[in-house]
Amino acid sequence: MQTTRQWQIDAVGPERQLTIGERRLEPVSGNRVLVRTEAVSLNFRDRLVMESGMGLPLQFPFVPASDMAGVVESVGPDVSRFKPGDRVISTFSPDWIDGRGLGDARTPPYKTRGGFYPGVLSQYTVLSEEWYSRAPDTLDAAQASTLPCAGLTAWFALIERGGLKAGDKVLVQGTGGVALFGLQIAKAHGAEVFLTSGSAEKLGRAVALGADHAINRHEGDWVEQLYQLTGGYGADHVLEIVGGPHLGQALKAVAINGRISVIGVFEGFEVSGPAGPLLLKAPVVQGISVGHRRALEDLVRAIDQTGLKPVIDKRYAFGEFPEALDHLYRGPFGKVVVEF
């Protein structure tokens, strides 16, 4: 029986130990496919899961990370979506194919890879074909691995849920993976993009990537700068990536009847903001929990049509996963990827 090497932890916490382990693979039967992993993209959430568990029923040894790209090596007799040699990417929420999210009011859906389900930092996996989507033809494995969480989150916020149209004003916070995907997707749809950062160097790189306006949040009130740049109009779409009380700033920045997509939790899980602009501007405040497989397939087609290239700050080898995590903690420009 074939075995696979994988990165794993035996407990959660800031002092958890990362080790490379080995396990046996299940048989390739039914609708299962054997996939050889080529690249894994890291997300801030991976750090949260390993440090706190996020209240999830983790099974130990736990394999972290949710986003991968790989190649189908063999398929079970009931597989109809893939054949050996196909390039695939993982889906963040494997059971969410389309439509309404799974779960109910008492138990919201959060059955995702690298959390409720084991993660993807393994050289091989044997899983249902439904847990994968085709990879874009125009991206290499490292680039494709950035789509399942960061890419889809931005796409779901702006396109699937947001209905972005040409000429809309989009405010993007920071220069991480979701932020830069938001910038690129918005520009591909003809929007005007305003990007905030505390780094002049990163702002320059964002402008080179296509941002129309760079706002340094260390140089005065960034909301006031947005007002000045838009003649007081504000932003039609705000990608709220910071979280916590920063929602209050998003409520100030959003245009009347605009849209705030709440995505990140860098400053905490308890969001707060003033009721005044919420009531008077009447924006849509939409929580974004990545997205379903059908939207990921839409994103893949759009990437092949537009030529969008995900931004990768640095690529690491499989054995350098701890160094890749350190890079993630420092705040990359775009994505950090582990290649196999």
Side-chain angles (χ1 to χ4, degrees):
M1 184 175 291
Q2 186 172 351
T3 61
T4 183
R5 298 173 72 229
Q6 62 189 25
W7 278 101
Q8 60 190 39
I9 57 174
D10 292 318
V12 298
E15 305 303 321
R16 78 276 180 276
Q17 295 296 313
L18 280 167
T19 59
I20 296 178
E22 188 171 290
R23 67 177 175 86
R24 290 184 175 182
L25 291 170
E26 301 83 358
V28 182
S29 59
N31 72 341
R32 294 188 167 200
V33 293
L34 171 65
V35 175
R36 174 173 53 85
T37 305
E38 291 187 303
V40 168
S41 173
L42 304 184
N43 298 294
F44 181 72
R45 170 185 174 271
D46 301 329
R47 170 185 173 181
L48 294 179
V49 171
M50 286 188 286
E51 291 187 351
S52 71
M54 295 182 68
L56 296 166
L58 305 186
Q59 299 180 20
F60 297 99
F62 175 73
V63 180
S66 61
D67 298 6
M68 57 77 70
V71 177
V72 175
E73 296 277 296
S74 62
V75 302
D78 301 329
V79 170
S80 60
R81 300 179 63 237
F82 303 110
K83 64 182 185 304
D86 284 347
R87 299 174 61 243
V88 296
I89 54 177
S90 57
T91 53
F92 182 74
S93 300
D95 307 312
W96 190 15
I97 306 301
D98 199 352
R100 184 173 178 171
L102 307 178
D104 56 29
R106 185 188 299 275
T107 310
Y110 200 50
K111 292 185 176 180
T112 65
R113 306 204 33 188
F116 182 89
Y117 297 119
V120 297
L121 265 165
S122 179
Q123 292 176 321
Y124 291 90
T125 54
V126 178
L127 295 165
S128 167
E129 63 175 334
E130 303 297 340
W131 286 34
Y132 296 96
S133 295
R134 291 189 181 277
D137 294 330
T138 54
L139 300 184
D140 65 23
Q143 293 168 328
S145 75
T146 68
L147 302 183
C149 186
L152 181 56
T153 296
W155 178 268
F156 214 73
L158 292 173
I159 309 303
E160 180 72 23
R161 291 287 189 256
L164 178 73
K165 61 183 184 298
D168 281 355
K169 301 181 188 304
V170 177
L171 175 68
V172 176
Q173 301 168 0
T175 55
V178 175
L180 293 188
F181 268 115
L183 161 61
Q184 292 176 289
I185 291 169
K187 290 303 299 179
H189 285 78
E192 184 180 6
V193 176
F194 303 76
L195 186 139
T196 68
S197 173
S199 166
E201 185 267 337
K202 289 182 178 179
L203 285 172
R205 294 172 69 181
V207 170
L209 195 61
D212 298 285
H213 307 279
I215 300 174
N216 193 322
R217 55 185 172 82
H218 291 325
E219 296 179 355
D221 185 338
W222 68 262
V223 176
E224 183 58 37
Q225 294 181 61
L226 175 70
Y227 290 162
Q228 292 176 9
L229 289 168
T230 62
Y233 180 86
D236 297 297
H237 300 262
V238 178
L239 296 188
E240 172 48 46
I241 298 173
V242 181
H246 197 268
L247 176 63
Q249 294 293 88
L251 287 167
K252 294 178 183 178
V254 71
I256 293 174
N257 299 146
R259 188 178 194 91
I260 300 172
S261 296
V262 180
I263 295 168
V265 293
F266 288 104
E267 290 190 2
F269 285 88
E270 298 292 329
V271 298
S272 61
L278 177 63
L279 298 175
L280 297 175
K281 293 183 178 182
V284 172
V285 180
Q286 171 81 61
I288 299 295
S289 182
V290 191
H292 47 57
R293 193 183 77 195
R294 196 265 301 151
L296 180 61
E297 293 166 347
D298 290 346
L299 172 60
V300 166
R301 285 190 291 270
I303 283 175
D304 279 339
Q305 287 291 323
T306 62
L308 186 153
K309 301 294 183 185
V311 179
I312 297 177
D313 200 352
K314 190 170 181 180
R315 305 177 186 218
Y316 290 86
F318 176 76
E320 298 175 319
F321 174 53
E323 290 85 348
L325 268 182
D326 289 342
H327 190 158
L328 183 71
Y329 295 171
R330 295 195 300 271
F333 185 86
K335 299 296 292 179
V336 175
V337 174
V338 175
E339 295 184 305
F340 287 60

